[in-house]
Amino acid sequence: MSDSNAGAAGGGAVYGLGILGGWVYFWQQADGFWEYVWAIIQGLLWPAFMVYDAFVALN
């Protein structure tokens, strides 16, 4: 049997690069300590925000 997980690994790499890009983007916009903390959280969760905004736009 052939058990290939190559597709899953590629998706994880793309998601990881997206997280890094999100951190850079949100970090540059932060001014204070709590904004930097929020930038780290936003960097992890930006795909969820994007999907939510897309569903709001479709409604």
Side-chain angles (χ1 to χ4, degrees), residues 1-47:
M1 281 191 195
S2 176
D3 188 22
S4 177
N5 291 328
V14 171
Y15 186 72
L17 288 174
I19 289 174
L20 289 175
W23 280 334
V24 169
Y25 176 77
F26 293 120
W27 193 266
Q28 290 176 349
Q29 295 181 351
D31 284 336
F33 173 75
W34 290 111
E35 290 183 13
Y36 288 115
V37 172
W38 181 239
I40 293 170
I41 295 168
Q42 280 182 312
L44 291 171
L45 300 177
W46 70 266

